[in-house]
Amino acid sequence: MSVATNNCQSAKSSLGRKVLPHLQKHDGAMTRELLLAPGRYGLGMTHASLDADTVTTATCGYCATGCGLRVHLRDGQAIGLTPATDYPVNLGMACPKGWEALRVLDSTDRATMPLLRKNGCLQPVSWDEALRTFCDRFKAIQQEHGTHSIAFLSTGQIASEEMAFLGALAKFGMGMLHGDGNTRQCMATAVTAYKESFGFDAPPYTYADFEQSDCLVFIGANPCVGHPIMWERVFRNRNQPELIVLDPRATETAMAATQHLQLRPKSDLKLLYAITHEIIRLGMVDESFVSAHTEGFDELRGFVANYSATAVADQCGLTAEQVSQAARSIGTAKAASLWWTMGVNQSYEGVRTAQAIINIALITGNIGRPGTGANSITGQCNAMGSRLWSNTTNLFGHYSFENAEHRRIVADALRIDESRIPDTGSYSYDGILDAVDRGEIRGLWIIATNPSHSWIDQDDVRRRLGRLDFLVVQDMYHNTETVQQSHLLLPAAGWGEKLGTFINSERRYGIHKQVRQSPGQALSDFRIFRAVAEYWGCGEMFREWSEPEAVFRIMQRASRNQPCDITGIEGYQQLDRLGGIQWPWTSEQASASEPSQERRLFADGQFYTESGRAKLITAHPAEMPEAPDDEYPFLLLSGRGTVSQWHTQTRTGKSPILRQLYPHEPYVEIHHQDAAKLGVEHNALVQVRSRRGEISVRAAVTSTVGRNQVFIPMHYGVTNRLTLQHFDPYSRQPSYKDAAVSLSPINAQ
Ligand code: SF4
């Protein structure tokens, strides 16, 4: 059965905020109370228990900065918010997305009841019918095509406890083998790089490092737009730091740099090796640290001998002196920190590029001390929660499915039969979509993500989703591009309407809370998972998973003796009181003191590898798969557009204020000399074409992009019609920032 690609008008018109008549009572253990019971999970801070005017603090639900937002309540309902002044992350600051976090909950586009496709149209149905259909259809697919013919795609936007529940339910309860998350699109490269180099996915830093460095290096990162509160913390640095930016674009961050290395796109790996070579050549290696705490230095030195500044600079579009100066600044700094994000992660050689950054931090001894680190900045509010707890490609608690001892540990922690845990990991996101294309996966459950917009080579992913026998989407809104393709929509509560923890970029567990009633029949993802467990018939396995904090206790058990051990956290009240707690926080640490607010990893030089040493890893740069040519002479870069837009704009597009802060129409940034050559004027319509598709956008004539390069923000629905499907071979993260395109003025055609 193919999937229709639009809702029907009749269904759309009935999607108001009206609450449907009573839910049907299921025959099994599920009760109407379990599904509805508003405000059950609230840390004493729900609309049900807060009668007077009061305030409470909740961690923001957009980006992984993890700001504390002070929510002002009246009669238990949030009526406004301000940035928390005493939260250790943001110190009284918030970006526009945070300020508008409540507004997007009020949208008329909220999904308020389950919708089931009937006669080609999504029609309102009861939760009972939705859940029965969910189970009947998925079980029928499993019967016909095998247990592994259904899969899930999760997200970095829901609570750790919800991710844990979903992963355990899908794999241990429903028998799925394959599930991945949209964190594949943002953090998989950093995860793989850290695991190989440090022995565990372990971002080592604390935000105080922004203020304590005397040399900060940003590689493929534009925190001024992408992580504005982290950027604010850079400006609190009193050391007059050297600020080095490696970026092909003259971004807002690059404009503030003391050294902007405006390198050619995808020459970053060569440049990092050249900087490494210079550091070694100039005798700026921390030899005692290297000999005590790393392995592979001799190989690294031999490897980078081929990457001298003079040999490489021209290929990078730089001078040898620029390369050497950057190396000297890093090598002579008392405390240098190196920060990267999507410009590195979203690359066909992202893992090795990230490891080239890690190598520089290690050989200069810039790790484990204030102001140092090889620091990947996380994207989504709970990408780190996904990395540890989603039970997708890694086993629960960042264990391995393939390791029998790991399976036993997790089975004990979850108090389930070990045989329920598969002994192989999942396909990665792209592998799941490939399996959909082969007809191997026939049913898919997508939670809080929008691949029909965000996945690379959009027309192709839409085609693949259209092949599914049954597509379920669980989302806050009824009109995302992916919902339009679905057979069943499960309406979910959003940030502010439920309770749980996020883990931010510096490994801090923070609490977000229920400060609003979700609209209509929308339920928290947590309660949807509970309901699915009951309807599926595996509810008994999840009796202990009764509320988010109960799941947090299970996570604590599973974390024991892992690098991410959180057995010392007393519970949600302590997280709330302290403004979050960074992992690790073990029961042994807790018996000695309260957690300090700024803890970094590797202060003792001990890494999580078998030898205890960090690994210095290299590989020669690869060819760009689709370099510009005569037919497609421009290289398309994509990335964040403005501070007021988030990903596919599913939420930020619902705020009138945020919408005022960015251009509504998609646009392409083009160098003014290229524009003149093509006869393109500022704000004129241009056609941008790649081998995948073509789009019409406005021209933004500028000098912030280099010659023969163009940039389109990722937030617009059309951008991924152009991008090329290719991936880092180790992390399977999509490489969004290199596709060959052509441009032509519309009026000339
Ligand atoms: Fe929220 Fe990130 Fe903005 Fe902070 S910087 S308010 S966490 S979106």
Side-chain angles (χ1 to χ4, degrees):
M1 173 180 164
S2 67
V3 181
T5 54
N6 62 310
N7 286 353
C8 296
Q9 208 52 46
S10 59
K12 273 186 180 171
S13 63
S14 66
L15 297 177
R17 296 188 151 269
K18 181 179 65 157
V19 178
L20 277 181
H22 303 310
L23 296 181
Q24 303 291 314
K25 187 170 179 176
H26 183 58
D27 293 334
M30 171 55 59
T31 65
R32 176 171 172 248
E33 287 72 26
L34 179 62
L35 283 172
L36 284 178
R40 270 186 72 192
Y41 312 128
L43 193 67
M45 294 170 184
T46 68
H47 61 87
S49 60
L50 287 166
D51 298 324
D53 292 3
T54 188
V55 289
T56 190
T57 300
T59 307
C60 179
Y62 280 105
C63 89
T65 307
C67 296
L69 301 176
R70 202 136 176 83
V71 185
H72 304 253
L73 301 113
R74 177 163 297 155
D75 299 329
Q77 292 288 307
I79 53 171
L81 59 78
T82 51
T85 52
D86 55 354
Y87 202 75
V89 167
N90 49 315
L91 313 173
M93 301 174 282
C95 82
K97 297 185 291 293
W99 279 101
E100 282 292 285
L102 291 172
R103 184 85 54 125
V104 300
L105 301 175
D106 297 331
S107 167
T108 52
D109 290 338
R110 289 296 301 272
T112 58
M113 61 190 77
L115 300 177
L116 179 62
R117 194 171 294 279
K118 295 179 178 177
N119 301 319
C121 305
L122 286 172
Q123 302 281 0
V125 293
S126 69
W127 267 109
D128 182 68
E129 183 177 347
L131 291 167
R132 284 180 187 276
T133 307
F134 176 100
C135 295
D136 290 349
R137 295 295 307 274
F138 276 158
K139 285 186 176 184
I141 291 171
Q142 284 184 316
Q143 267 193 338
E144 193 177 347
H145 301 285
T147 316
H148 302 154
S149 59
I150 61 170
F152 69 97
L153 289 174
S154 180
T155 177
Q157 298 285 161
I158 60 176
S160 307
E161 295 79 358
E162 293 175 328
M163 285 177 193
F165 204 150
L166 170 62
L169 167 64
K171 291 205 170 180
F172 310 150
M174 299 168 69
M176 293 188 209
L177 182 61
H178 300 298
D180 200 7
N182 66 5
T183 45
R184 180 72 51 189
Q185 291 162 266
C186 59
M187 298 314 298
T189 287
V191 172
T192 309
Y194 279 140
K195 279 175 77 172
E196 290 181 359
S197 295
F198 292 164
F200 197 80
D201 174 20
Y205 60 96
T206 182
Y207 291 158
D209 292 320
F210 286 120
E211 300 167 19
Q212 294 167 337
S213 296
D214 53 7
C215 176
L216 296 105
V217 188
F218 289 97
I219 305 113
N222 183 14
C224 180
V225 164
H227 295 86
I229 302 307
M230 295 190 198
W231 187 234
E232 294 281 354
R233 294 202 60 167
V234 173
F235 276 79
R236 294 166 65 95
N237 188 313
R238 296 284 173 260
N239 300 329
Q240 296 190 309
E242 198 69 27
L243 193 54
I244 304 172
V245 174
L246 276 60
D247 201 306
R249 296 169 57 219
T251 62
E252 297 81 350
T253 302
M255 289 175 194
T258 55
Q259 300 174 43
H260 176 202
L261 275 60
Q262 193 166 7
L263 70 171
R264 290 210 175 94
K266 300 301 163 207
S267 65
D268 45 2
L269 187 51
K270 276 185 198 153
L271 174 58
L272 290 162
Y273 287 152
I275 290 173
T276 306
H277 176 271
E278 278 296 281
I279 287 169
I280 295 171
R281 186 182 71 81
L282 295 168
M284 295 184 294
V285 171
D286 183 338
E287 289 181 2
S288 62
F289 184 88
V290 166
S291 67
H293 301 299
T294 70
E295 57 190 49
F297 180 71
D298 289 341
E299 292 84 349
L300 173 71
R301 179 168 45 202
F303 180 90
V304 297
N306 298 317
Y307 294 89
S308 69
T310 43
V312 164
D314 194 44
Q315 298 169 46
C316 300
L318 303 168
T319 65
E321 177 50 29
Q322 283 179 292
V323 179
S324 189
Q325 187 187 351
R328 284 196 302 273
S329 297
I330 297 167
T332 56
K334 291 194 194 79
S337 55
L338 298 100
W339 308 83
W340 81 87
T341 176
M342 297 312 140
V344 171
N345 287 349
Q346 292 178 337
S347 165
Y348 56 85
E349 54 188 1
V351 170
R352 294 296 176 250
T353 306
Q355 287 167 332
I357 297 167
I358 292 170
N359 293 346
I360 291 172
L362 289 169
I363 67 168
T364 53
N366 277 302
I367 196 110
R369 294 184 290 110
T372 67
N375 304 328
S376 87
I377 299 174
T378 308
Q380 300 180 76
C381 58
N382 204 21
M384 175 57 78
S386 168
R387 289 147 78 169
L388 294 179
W389 299 114
S390 64
N391 205 37
T392 50
T393 45
N394 293 307
L395 178 57
F396 203 82
H398 218 62
Y399 281 106
S400 166
F401 283 100
E402 287 78 9
N403 185 310
E405 175 64 7
H406 288 187
R407 295 197 297 276
R408 187 192 60 72
I409 291 169
V410 171
D412 286 351
L414 271 58
R415 296 170 184 155
I416 62 170
D417 189 335
E418 197 179 321
S419 66
R420 306 293 305 190
I421 302 179
D423 60 6
T424 54
S426 166
Y427 291 150
S428 54
Y429 200 132
D430 62 307
I432 289 172
L433 292 174
D434 285 348
V436 169
D437 214 14
R438 290 194 300 273
E440 178 186 326
I441 288 175
R442 319 285 291 228
L444 193 60
W445 182 11
I446 296 178
I447 299 95
T449 188
N450 188 13
S452 300
H453 176 140
S454 63
W455 192 251
I456 199 161
D457 188 0
Q458 187 185 95
D459 289 356
D460 188 64
V461 72
R462 290 184 183 194
R463 180 188 62 76
R464 292 178 192 224
L465 294 181
R467 286 178 56 81
L468 288 161
D469 292 343
F470 197 54
L471 172 60
V472 180
V473 176
Q474 187 166 313
D475 203 283
M476 288 172 66
Y477 299 100
H478 68 76
N479 56 355
T480 72
E481 289 88 343
T482 312
V483 171
Q484 304 288 310
Q485 290 195 262
S486 70
H487 295 99
L488 176 65
L489 167 67
L490 302 179
W495 176 90
E497 297 168 346
K498 55 185 186 170
L499 174 66
T501 61
F502 294 144
I503 313 173
N504 79 353
S505 224
E506 52 164 2
R507 313 179 316 284
R508 179 182 304 275
Y509 281 81
I511 291 275
H512 65 96
K513 299 171 186 168
Q514 186 181 6
V515 291
R516 278 278 181 91
Q517 172 71 49
S518 55
Q521 294 186 12
L523 297 174
S524 70
D525 295 284
F526 190 90
R527 255 187 286 175
I528 295 173
F529 300 142
R530 286 205 74 195
V532 168
E534 295 295 341
Y535 273 71
W536 193 268
C538 59
E540 204 52 45
M541 187 185 288
F542 296 100
R543 281 290 165 263
E544 191 188 349
W545 303 53
S546 57
E547 58 184 326
E549 192 161 9
V551 176
F552 185 77
R553 297 289 178 210
I554 297 168
M555 291 157 48
Q556 287 184 292
R557 291 202 302 261
S559 76
R560 183 174 293 283
N561 298 325
Q562 282 283 76
C564 56
D565 190 326
I566 48 169
T567 53
I569 296 175
E570 291 168 13
Y572 281 5
Q573 294 285 358
Q574 189 193 28
L575 288 175
D576 193 41
R577 177 169 55 81
L578 295 181
I581 297 173
Q582 291 172 281
W583 68 257
W585 188 244
T586 68
S587 49
E588 291 73 25
Q589 289 172 301
S591 65
S593 66
E594 280 238 311
S596 65
Q597 281 300 357
E598 287 161 359
R599 288 179 297 120
R600 59 185 63 76
L601 303 178
F602 312 130
D604 59 359
Q606 289 302 301
F607 294 87
Y608 303 120
T609 55
E610 275 184 23
S611 64
R613 291 166 175 267
K615 295 181 178 174
L616 299 162
I617 300 171
T618 55
H620 290 295
E623 287 295 312
M624 186 186 293
E626 190 185 62
D629 56 18
D630 289 346
E631 194 178 358
Y632 296 96
F634 292 91
L635 191 73
L636 170 65
L637 314 175
S638 65
R640 293 193 192 279
T642 70
V643 76
S644 302
Q645 290 164 295
W646 182 249
H647 290 187
T648 65
Q649 302 192 74
T650 302
R651 279 182 289 169
T652 49
K654 307 296 189 292
S655 158
I657 289 178
L658 295 179
R659 283 205 308 272
Q660 290 293 320
L661 298 176
Y662 59 82
H664 289 194
E665 285 188 76
Y667 59 92
V668 57
E669 292 182 4
I670 178 171
H671 192 276
H672 58 88
Q673 290 177 343
D674 289 328
K677 200 168 150 191
L678 291 171
V680 168
E681 294 193 356
H682 185 70
N683 211 33
L685 269 179
V686 293
Q687 186 178 64
V688 187
R689 184 185 296 130
S690 78
R691 291 182 175 87
R692 273 68 56 194
E694 58 188 55
I695 62 175
S696 298
V697 294
R698 296 273 167 199
V701 178
T702 177
S703 55
T704 55
V705 290
R707 293 292 311 271
N708 305 315
Q709 300 163 31
V710 294
F711 172 82
I712 306 180
M714 67 194 217
H715 314 290
Y716 297 106
V718 295
T719 310
N720 279 314
R721 295 200 59 212
L722 303 173
T723 46
L724 168 72
Q725 274 188 69
H726 60 310
F727 305 88
D728 179 277
Y730 308 101
S731 69
R732 304 308 300 170
Q733 181 156 343
S735 186
Y736 280 101
K737 298 176 189 297
D738 55 297
V741 297
S742 65
L743 257 80
S744 51
I746 296 270
N747 58 10
Q749 295 171 350

